[in-house]
Amino acid sequence: MNENLKRLTDAGVSIWLDDISRERLRSGNLAALIRDKNVTGVTSNPTIFASALSKGDAYDAQLRDLATRGVTVEEAVRAITTFDIRWAADVLRPVFDATRGVDGRVSIEVDPRLARKTEATIAEARALWWLVDRPNLHIKIPATVEGLPAITQAISEGISVNVTLIFSLERYRQVMDAWLSGLEKAKANGLNLATIESVASFFVSRVDTEIDKRLDKIGSPEAAELKGKAAVANARLAFAAYEEVMNSPRWQTLRAAGARPQRPLWASTGVKNPDYPDTLYVEQLVTAGVVNTMPEKTLDSSADHARISGDTIRPFYQQAWDVMASLKQAGIDYDDVVRALEEEGVEKFEASWTELLETVDSELRKA
């Protein structure tokens, strides 16, 4: 195993790959990453699938079959994406078994056009859970206001959930409350809580992108000094909030009943500003009991030159609070930032889903 990635794993960080494609699966690349780079999970989203469909010939045979059957475009998209997710879940099943269900997980997202529709999201989560039919599946549900009751309901029915598109500390606390409520209902329903696993995907790099843009507009020397600091500070404070919940009597009661923690998952960890170190959101967010899902480029950079040196979250809570206070003093409206990021995140995934539908429609017509 790569030494840098081994140090990351030894520090308690689970390394997941933020990518999936039929070509990666059929070539054995995912299996190789599990073996050589300690990848222990996979996340997907509409953008990733749209990209995968646009490259190579890996989907051609299935597309021909779907065209012959005359299925709708949306049915074809579900057939294609769930095929890949099942395959990835099977490749990761040994990891799932070896970690007793902690890792070895694969995520698939509900149709992002449903992000503001609670009942439709619940129905979609149930359908995907049934369709993929793998114990190491995560259903991704966005952390919109409308998504929160869907998270509770899915968890209460024994569906493992990856809560996605979390940007704000307040929303993260609401997500944890929704998760705990779901576990309490599952317990009341007599379900085995140990089989219900969840992660909360807290987005990182997009926070710096948005806040840096606003700092540039402010233009003061003090504002310039704060660039590239917001995302890490925000994520560190999210972990502080997580620790508070983990120490609460409410969680202790559920843990005693067999429940598993909802681990924080650092998402959007590819560095978008070339002026910043390309392993910034790996090196600065290390602590035991978290997941870092990385694009392959970030994974390769981390394997090559990441410097992993102990816990870089817990000792820095005060520093994180100081950064957030300085941002406010500089004129950054945090609530407006995270509201804009959530709206943009939903819009981007909706656009990618539309692109995916259009790509499949085009391919079906050619098949």
Side-chain angles (χ1 to χ4, degrees):
M1 189 193 305
N2 176 273
E3 280 302 312
N4 287 335
L5 298 179
K6 184 177 185 302
R7 280 192 285 272
L8 188 60
T9 299
D10 289 346
V13 179
S14 292
I15 301 168
W16 290 7
L17 178 70
D18 191 28
D19 192 61
I20 192 171
S21 70
R22 188 75 52 87
E23 182 56 39
R24 189 185 292 282
L25 291 162
R26 74 176 184 179
S27 68
N29 174 263
L30 178 58
L33 291 176
I34 294 167
R35 182 186 66 241
D36 301 332
K37 294 186 175 176
N38 209 31
V39 168
T40 59
V42 164
T43 50
S44 70
N45 61 48
T47 303
I48 285 169
F49 276 118
S51 176
L53 262 292
S54 68
K55 300 172 185 174
D57 62 356
Y59 296 94
D60 288 0
Q62 188 179 16
L63 282 162
R64 282 193 299 271
D65 286 347
L66 291 166
T68 300
R69 289 172 52 210
V71 303
T72 65
V73 174
E74 294 202 3
E75 185 180 347
V77 166
R78 279 303 176 213
I80 290 164
T81 56
T82 56
F83 186 99
D84 283 1
I85 294 297
R86 274 192 299 275
W87 193 342
D90 291 343
V91 173
L92 279 156
R93 183 59 187 264
V95 176
F96 174 81
D97 292 338
T99 61
R100 297 186 178 182
V102 174
D103 284 315
R105 298 275 173 172
V106 184
S107 297
I108 187 170
E109 189 154 347
V110 298
D111 183 337
R113 296 172 299 178
L114 307 178
R116 307 291 182 188
K117 301 175 182 178
T118 301
E119 292 303 319
T121 294
I122 294 168
E124 176 92 344
R126 289 173 180 144
L128 288 172
W129 187 252
W130 171 83
L131 189 58
V132 175
D133 193 26
R134 295 293 187 274
N136 49 335
L137 177 67
H138 271 149
I139 303 297
K140 290 180 79 172
I141 297 176
T144 57
V145 170
E146 297 84 356
L148 295 171
I151 293 160
T152 295
Q153 186 60 35
I155 292 286
S156 77
E157 296 179 15
I159 296 172
S160 293
V161 174
N162 176 345
V163 184
T164 189
L165 288 177
I166 308 171
F167 298 97
S168 80
L169 298 174
E170 180 184 359
R171 183 56 52 81
Y172 181 39
R173 290 182 182 278
Q174 293 171 344
V175 164
M176 289 189 285
D177 179 71
W179 160 69
L180 290 168
S181 296
L183 287 176
E184 287 162 348
K185 289 184 177 182
K187 181 184 175 187
N189 292 337
L191 299 185
N192 179 2
L193 300 189
T195 65
I196 307 170
E197 214 275 340
S198 184
V199 293
S201 293
F202 200 88
F203 277 52
V204 184
S205 69
R206 296 188 195 184
V207 174
D208 270 343
T209 300
E210 180 65 25
I211 289 183
D212 283 1
K213 180 174 66 178
R214 298 183 184 212
L215 290 168
D216 283 338
K217 286 183 179 178
I218 293 168
S220 67
E222 293 80 9
E225 280 295 312
L226 290 167
K227 288 183 65 176
K229 296 181 179 179
V232 167
N234 197 41
R236 285 171 172 169
L237 294 178
F239 193 83
Y242 166 77
E243 285 201 304
E244 288 179 23
V245 171
M246 291 299 99
N247 290 322
S248 69
R250 186 181 183 189
W251 165 245
Q252 297 300 328
T253 298
L254 288 165
R255 186 177 72 168
R260 301 170 179 266
Q262 183 191 59
R263 289 181 296 169
L265 180 151
W266 310 130
S268 184
T269 55
V271 176
K272 294 176 173 59
N273 189 329
D275 294 335
Y276 300 158
D278 57 2
T279 55
L280 174 65
Y281 305 126
V282 176
E283 295 174 351
Q284 296 301 307
L285 294 174
V286 176
T287 198
V290 300
V291 179
N292 194 313
T293 185
M294 310 177 196
E296 190 167 19
K297 184 178 178 182
T298 303
L299 177 67
D300 290 342
S301 297
S302 298
D304 182 64
H305 54 261
R307 296 180 180 180
I308 308 302
S309 54
D311 192 319
T312 54
I313 293 182
R314 288 183 173 93
F316 299 101
Y317 288 155
Q318 187 56 52
Q319 185 184 96
W321 281 119
D322 291 345
V323 167
M324 301 307 277
S326 296
L327 287 166
K328 183 177 181 180
Q329 189 173 10
I332 297 298
D333 184 340
Y334 177 82
D335 291 339
D336 186 66
V337 167
V338 295
R339 182 166 51 250
L341 285 169
E342 180 181 300
E343 290 173 0
E344 178 189 67
V346 172
E347 288 171 4
K348 282 184 174 179
F349 279 172
E350 284 182 355
S352 294
W353 192 260
T354 299
E355 179 188 348
L356 180 58
L357 290 169
E358 290 171 351
T359 299
V360 170
D361 184 43
S362 175
E363 294 299 321
L364 288 171
R365 292 177 189 278
K366 290 190 294 185

